[in-house]
Amino acid sequence: MKSYNDLDIYHLSLALFFKVHPASLLLPKYKLYELGSQVRRSSDSVVSNIVEGYGRKRYKADFVRFLVFSHSSCLETKNHLFKINRLYPGVVPNIEEFISEYDILGAKIFTFIKYVEENWR
């Protein structure tokens, strides 16, 4: 691994961020700056914490800590998407697909955390 760019979880989280961000702008105007902002920030946090954690990879505990933050933000994003889907059904196309993709991403981040804990020097 030469860069965070080599991580599958980085590419998946970035791709999801680029899907979720514009989708969140479809919310009713009065929710753009509440629930819309929360989902945009948590989605960005998933990918940003992977990058920041990788930047601290020299210190295993820091790397794991930021991966845990990323995983937590992944769960938070999934929860926001669930709320949007229940409160505003049909407003955001493919939202159930996004939720499913965040499930997959969360599992991959969790697996990577285990890998780092057990194999990182």
Side-chain angles (χ1 to χ4, degrees), residues 30-47:
Y30 60 91
K31 279 298 179 182
L32 276 178
Y33 305 105
E34 292 174 11
L35 193 51
S37 176
Q38 287 177 316
V39 75
R40 286 189 296 276
R41 286 183 287 120
S42 64
S43 179
D44 184 37
S45 179
V46 177
V47 68

Side-chain angles (χ1 to χ4, degrees), residues 78-96:
K78 183 181 161 197
N79 184 57
H80 291 317
L81 292 169
F82 174 78
K83 292 185 289 186
I84 290 168
N85 195 32
R86 289 291 299 268
L87 291 171
Y88 309 102
V91 171
V92 177
N94 304 321
I95 196 163
E96 289 177 1

Side-chain angles (χ1 to χ4, degrees), residues 10 18 21 38-39 48-49 69-70 85 87 93 100-101 120:
Y10 167 74
F18 286 132
H21 189 276
Q38 287 177 316
V39 75
S48 295
N49 278 302
F69 293 158
S70 177
N85 195 32
L87 291 171
S100 177
E101 290 180 62
W120 212 257

Side-chain angles (χ1 to χ4, degrees), residues 1-4 7 50-64 66-67 112 116 120-121:
M1 236 181 301
K2 294 180 183 177
S3 163
Y4 59 83
L7 298 174
I50 291 168
V51 172
E52 187 166 358
Y54 189 86
R56 298 167 186 254
K57 72 183 185 303
R58 180 174 182 180
Y59 304 102
K60 179 178 172 178
D62 273 357
F63 193 11
V64 169
F66 278 89
L67 290 171
F112 188 64
V116 171
W120 212 257
R121 332 174 228 132

